[in-house]
Amino acid sequence: MNGRLKASGGAVGGGLLVAGTTSDAGKSVVTAGICRWLVRQGVRVAPFKAQNMSLNSFVTREGAEIGRAQAMQAAAARVEPTALMNPVLLKPGSDRSSQVVLLGKPVGELSARGYHAGRQEQLLGTVTDCLQELRRTHDAVICEGAGSPAEINLRRTDIVNMGIARAARIPVVVVGDIDRGGVFASFFGTTALLSKEDQALVAGYLVNKFRGDVTLLEPGLEMLRGLTGRRTLGVLPFAHGLGIDEEDGLRVSLRGAVRESVVAPPANAGRCPQLHGADVLRVAVCAVPLMSNFTDVDALAAEPGVVVRFVDRAEELADADLVVLPGTRGTVRALQWLRERGLADAIARRAAEGRPVLGICGGFQMLGAHIEDEVESKAGAVEGLGLLPVRVRFAVEKTLARPAGEALGEPVEGYEIHHGVAEVTGGEEEFLDGCRVGSVWGTHWHGSLESDGFRRAFLRRVAADAGRAFVPAPDTSFAALREEQLDRLGDLIEEHADTGALLRLIEEGVPEGLPFVPPGAP
């Protein structure tokens, strides 16, 4: 490492921006992989994403809300996540508006037009200050872009792709998902649609999710280099289970989709995972509108013998041993959706039969008796499902916390992100900050199922109530599985990318003489 990478003595550390030809090209995974590879080389590294749109968020120890992807990237870098790593978080409330979270705290609701018409541009100074602070205190900062840098309709107000790269003068590597097809056209078109000044920062490409013989790809990579003057710095193979916590919480339907935990080793096709009891345990997660922090169920999916599936029809609850109502950015809207689809009645029948139901955050609020909402939906008084003795009032101020305690005789930690304030008026058993009535459980705590002892105790209760001969594995460590996954991401970079070239970009900055690819931005 040369002196540029060292941040001691007030020097600014190196930087790199990982952009993508499209959304979901693999930017988050590549960023996490580079962070893990660097920290294994003894480099003090931090992740950064100037602006993130996600309903999957996390609470830092300082009480700031950031995207879960950045929290996982911080884990890859073996550093504590902070608000500096994701200064702007947008949490969609509809197709046209989002809550704006600035430096970990909500500052208001804006339409997409209002945000891009002025507010976003005003935030460039804030995000560059955050990046500068991270570079001052770390040897390297690996930045993640959003969507595509070639969204020419949004370039003027961009603060997350070429806007931040230009402001900080850091090199850019563009990731393309070859599994989608058209990766050469995507690399070329992305570059050719950037202005001359932006193109001068694009230093190379990374192919992601490649299947097959890489020698068959090499002629195309050489032609791409001839057309753009830029090398491909790695071809990353397709591999199962290498994603990190998703950002997209706006899927229309996840019906029939089986949740394979990104930290669990994939089972061989056609073969059940190793069981410790006679039965598997089936979990159905209601895919409510504006579903948030659905990563809560990853810890369940990581358990041998637990099958997690997202559903949106009442009949799909019939064979479920546990139904989960997850968090949502629209509690009242989700409640209406449950009623319209017959899911509310099906859940009520389950409760009457003593079959397990778990509500987390917005799901907990829906299970209550009464909701008063003048903040999120502005619907006023709304009747809940009435399965828990809870009254919910939405407050303007958002609760952001990292609680810890005990439940079912086991230590448990979690995090809270909600406007709804719950008043628990009864129940047979206190459950974290919520309660239990019969086989219906509710809590505001996200992430509680990642506590291994608590998760096993909860699953034993669920299996008993469901009448299943299911026994949780005694040694599943969710934290260890996550670490193993992050190491696999680091291995992916170390084994399949030109790490020497990446290191030179991080240490030395933007190469001189990168050619212009016409026509450039209009």
Side-chain angles (χ1 to χ4, degrees):
M1 308 282 177
N2 69 23
R4 180 180 172 84
L5 246 184
K6 295 304 177 183
S8 58
V12 174
L16 181 71
L17 175 70
V18 179
T21 56
T22 62
S23 295
D24 202 32
K27 298 183 293 292
S28 296
V29 166
V30 169
T31 300
I34 294 175
C35 285
R36 177 49 60 99
W37 161 65
L38 283 172
V39 77
R40 292 195 307 208
Q41 311 308 308
V43 177
R44 293 175 298 171
V45 59
F48 177 79
K49 186 163 185 173
Q51 173 193 292
N52 194 351
M53 177 173 281
S54 178
L55 286 171
N56 282 332
S57 57
F58 181 76
V59 178
T60 68
R61 295 204 180 278
E62 73 212 63
E65 184 180 9
I66 65 172
R68 274 197 67 95
Q70 280 61 66
M72 285 301 301
Q73 289 162 355
R78 296 182 179 141
V79 294
E80 189 68 33
T82 74
L84 293 173
M85 297 172 184
N86 180 206
V88 181
L89 173 63
L90 304 178
K91 304 195 71 176
S94 70
D95 290 341
R96 296 190 177 186
S97 68
S98 295
Q99 182 181 68
V100 180
V101 179
L102 180 61
L103 293 174
K105 304 296 180 183
V107 294
E109 198 92 11
L110 278 179
S111 68
R113 179 180 293 274
Y115 184 66
H116 289 287
R119 179 61 168 163
Q120 185 180 33
E121 198 170 9
Q122 296 168 6
L123 294 173
L124 181 59
T126 299
V127 301
T128 53
D129 287 347
C130 291
L131 176 55
Q132 182 72 4
E133 178 62 16
L134 287 174
R135 293 181 74 185
R136 189 183 65 80
T137 54
H138 294 80
D139 300 335
V141 178
I142 308 303
C143 309
E144 180 189 343
S148 164
E151 292 168 349
I152 54 179
N153 57 317
L154 303 176
R155 175 61 185 92
R156 183 183 63 81
T157 58
D158 170 54
I159 64 171
V160 66
N161 290 305
M162 303 314 298
I164 191 68
R166 284 268 293 274
R169 293 297 303 171
I170 54 176
V172 178
V173 173
V174 181
V175 178
D177 180 357
I178 197 170
D179 202 46
R180 295 184 175 191
V183 74
F184 294 117
S186 297
F187 283 142
F188 181 84
T190 297
T191 308
L193 274 179
L194 300 177
S195 69
K196 183 176 181 179
E197 295 78 10
D198 286 351
Q199 284 191 30
L201 301 178
V202 176
Y205 310 112
L206 278 170
V207 175
N208 193 29
K209 299 183 185 177
F210 179 71
R211 306 172 193 249
D213 185 350
V214 73
T215 62
L216 299 177
L217 192 65
E218 287 170 353
L221 300 179
E222 282 302 311
M223 284 187 274
L224 180 67
R225 183 176 184 177
L227 289 166
T228 67
R230 291 157 174 86
R231 291 180 53 220
T232 297
L233 304 179
V235 178
L236 310 181
F238 185 95
H240 290 283
L242 284 183
I244 64 174
D245 294 355
E246 290 99 328
E247 296 180 355
D248 183 11
L250 284 174
R251 303 180 187 188
V252 175
S253 172
L254 289 165
R255 175 161 47 86
V258 176
R259 183 68 167 177
E260 295 180 1
S261 173
V262 296
V263 299
N268 292 336
R271 191 180 77 182
C272 291
Q274 180 65 43
L275 300 180
H276 289 264
D279 292 339
V280 299
L281 205 65
R282 296 172 176 83
V283 179
V285 184
C286 295
V288 298
L290 298 175
M291 182 168 49
S292 62
N293 286 70
F294 52 84
T295 49
D296 280 334
V297 300
D298 279 349
L300 295 179
E303 283 285 349
V306 176
V307 178
V308 177
R309 188 171 64 150
F310 290 97
V311 303
D312 63 5
R313 297 189 302 191
E315 56 266 33
E316 293 175 301
L317 304 187
D319 66 346
D321 302 307
L322 170 66
V323 169
V324 177
L325 287 179
T328 172
R329 174 84 161 87
T331 298
V332 170
R333 176 178 167 183
L335 188 56
Q336 180 182 0
W337 180 88
L338 290 175
R339 286 174 169 144
E340 289 171 350
R341 290 176 171 262
L343 285 159
D345 289 339
I347 291 169
R349 287 194 296 271
R350 287 184 62 89
E353 295 165 1
R355 302 172 67 196
V357 177
L358 170 65
I360 302 173
C361 199
F364 168 44
Q365 296 165 7
M366 287 186 273
L367 290 172
H370 183 79
I371 298 170
E372 192 72 33
D373 182 13
E374 299 291 350
V375 176
E376 190 175 77
S377 68
K378 297 181 172 58
V382 177
E383 293 306 306
L385 296 178
L387 301 180
L388 291 177
V390 175
R391 298 179 64 85
V392 177
R393 175 185 55 82
F394 275 73
V396 173
E397 185 175 350
K398 180 185 284 190
T399 297
L400 297 170
R402 288 280 294 269
E406 184 177 296
L408 305 182
E410 297 286 346
V412 57
E413 296 181 356
Y415 57 98
E416 294 184 61
I417 306 170
H418 53 91
H419 283 279
V421 179
E423 179 190 359
V424 179
T425 60
E428 299 169 21
E429 181 181 356
E430 185 179 343
F431 181 61
L432 306 177
D433 69 336
C435 64
R436 176 187 67 83
V437 172
S439 60
V440 180
W441 311 70
T443 177
H444 270 134
W445 291 23
H446 293 291
S448 62
L449 293 168
E450 295 182 17
S451 298
D452 297 328
F454 166 73
R455 180 181 65 255
R456 287 192 279 268
F458 178 70
L459 288 176
R460 284 192 288 269
R461 292 282 292 268
V462 167
D465 288 347
R468 292 287 185 188
F470 169 83
V471 178
D475 55 357
T476 302
S477 168
F478 190 74
L481 287 170
R482 277 223 186 271
E483 269 298 296
E484 180 182 319
Q485 178 213 21
L486 294 173
D487 275 331
R488 291 176 66 203
L489 293 177
D491 294 342
L492 193 74
I493 298 299
E494 187 167 350
E495 296 169 8
H496 300 282
D498 186 340
T499 54
L502 291 175
L503 194 58
R504 283 191 296 274
L505 289 175
I506 296 167
E507 290 183 319
E508 300 171 11
V510 182
E512 296 292 334
L514 291 169
F516 172 68
V517 181

